[in-house]
Amino acid sequence: MTEFWLISAPGEKTCQQTWDTMMAATTRTNNLSSNHKFNIPDLKVGTLDVLVGLSDELAKLDGFVESVVKKVAQYMADVLEDSRDKVQENLLANGVDLVTYITRFQWDMAKYPIKQSLKNISEIIAKQVTQIDNDLKARASAYNNLKGNLQNLERKNAGSLLTRSLADIVKKEDFVLDSEYLITMLVVVPKPAYVEWQKTYETLAEMVVPRSSNLLFEDHDSGLFSVTLFLKAIDDFKHKARENKFTVRDFQYNEEEMKADKEEMTRLSTDKKKQFGPLVRWLKVNFSEAFIAWIHIKALRVFVESVLRYGLPVNFQAMLLQPSKKTMKKLREVLNDLYKHLDSSAAAIIDATFDIPGLNLSQQEYYPYVYDKINCNLFDFKV
């Protein structure tokens, strides 16, 4: 599990002092987390009304952008199919792994100019990620249709002799063709019934050509036999074959159709290979774009919440903490103790989680410091 806690606390005499205090509390004696400064530039604050409205909008945008990041990651895994072990190395942000990008985060001034208002920056991100989401839907739909058509054809050429296509098994010379009177039929016979078939096939109807049966193909369970008979005996032969648990396949040898099927399969397979490379490249680029946008949204949220919580002038230190699963509970206690003086109501909530069973206040995730979580486990699958 790779989980980060993105927190902020107000500057003491200096922001460096805030950092040093947190470091002392979490690492000096107990090594509760691996910590990094999270650099947020001097953004335009705007009015209080705008900040309050933006707080809600950014929460929704955060959820949307995260969902797009996960969709792109998941689709990368789907496209890579048997190479899922290569997924992680393809999911990078700005050419580095996700943990490195987060821990060394630098605001992208070119993409998101800080001279713009906070609202404008959030709208730039929303527009950018919506475009990625729409493009993903279109590309995924086209590729999935192609893949589905190819799989359907491949399924026809696989499986049991009772259901699979016989086009790639039989040859022209296996059939009596262009006869007014005779027809060659194909019959699936279970392996334990081979001897029975050889004994009885000539007597299943009156007009079966003697010694006309040949074994053309075998799979694990059955064999495919050809047999030649007069056209007028077809119905009688099918009926008797069914009674003896022999399965007559409805198959007509048509060279044109068989050639068309093979050409279609080759075309689909070639198209899939042609689309694979560009699609993976698009997913890599746009995963990076979406992930970078997501972390910028996190920075915006911390900035807005810190100004709302700690007031003006802007004076806070944003910090990124990476706890281990074992240290999370203890780290939470240490942080609550360190910052409880910031908000007296938070202390009441913290105490209430222990003292009043049934209220489930612990689920509210309210803390006296600004807090957000970044989870880098973006996948519903196991790599």
Side-chain angles (χ1 to χ4, degrees), residues 75 79 138-147 267-283:
Y75 196 61
V79 168
R139 287 168 186 269
S141 176
Y143 189 75
N144 289 348
N145 283 340
L146 180 61
K147 190 170 150 186
R267 183 187 71 78
L268 289 171
S269 184
T270 304
D271 283 355
K272 187 185 171 197
K273 283 174 187 166
K274 274 184 189 170
Q275 287 191 25
F276 176 81
L279 180 58
V280 169
R281 282 194 293 279
W282 184 90
L283 289 166

Side-chain angles (χ1 to χ4, degrees), residues 273-329:
K273 283 174 187 166
K274 274 184 189 170
Q275 287 191 25
F276 176 81
L279 180 58
V280 169
R281 282 194 293 279
W282 184 90
L283 289 166
K284 281 174 74 170
V285 167
N286 286 275
F287 173 82
S288 177
E289 291 294 309
F291 189 85
I292 289 167
W294 185 40
I295 303 306
H296 280 75
I297 287 288
K298 293 292 187 187
L300 281 177
R301 289 191 73 187
V302 168
F303 182 86
V304 169
E305 297 304 323
S306 298
V307 173
L308 288 173
R309 185 78 70 91
Y310 309 135
L312 292 171
V314 176
N315 180 30
F316 67 88
Q317 177 65 53
M319 299 167 279
L320 193 70
L321 284 63
Q322 186 179 1
S324 69
K325 204 164 187 179
K326 290 177 183 174
T327 61
M328 280 184 180
K329 189 178 176 191

Side-chain angles (χ1 to χ4, degrees), residues 179-199:
S179 169
E180 280 186 58
Y181 305 106
L182 296 174
I183 185 170
T184 300
M185 305 201 73
L186 300 177
V187 184
V188 179
V189 179
K191 281 188 174 176
Y194 279 10
V195 174
E196 184 66 19
W197 166 256
Q198 293 294 355
K199 276 187 197 172

Side-chain angles (χ1 to χ4, degrees), residues 3-38:
E3 180 175 305
F4 292 94
W5 294 358
L6 181 53
I7 71 168
S8 82
E12 295 174 24
K13 285 181 182 174
T14 64
C15 288
Q16 181 62 39
Q17 204 172 333
T18 303
W19 168 258
D20 292 341
T21 303
M22 188 277 297
M23 285 293 285
T26 60
T27 62
R28 199 150 294 168
T29 56
N30 40 23
N31 209 23
L32 295 175
S33 57
S34 172
N35 305 328
H36 307 268
K37 284 184 180 177
F38 192 82

Side-chain angles (χ1 to χ4, degrees), residues 5 10 34 85 97 99 105 130 157 166 169 185 191 217 288 318:
W5 294 358
S34 172
D85 55 329
D97 66 84
V99 170
F105 174 75
T130 299
N157 292 323
L166 303 177
I169 290 174
M185 305 201 73
K191 281 188 174 176
F217 185 83
S288 177

Side-chain angles (χ1 to χ4, degrees), residues 362-374:
S362 60
Q363 299 305 308
Q364 293 182 1
E365 285 199 345
Y366 180 83
Y367 306 104
Y369 48 93
V370 171
Y371 163 80
D372 201 355
K373 183 165 69 175
I374 303 173

Side-chain angles (χ1 to χ4, degrees), residues 156-158 164-171 217 251 258 262:
K156 280 185 185 175
N157 292 323
R164 63 165 290 170
S165 167
L166 303 177
D168 61 333
I169 290 174
V170 296
K171 302 182 188 71
F217 185 83
F251 180 85
M258 288 160 64
K262 280 182 182 173

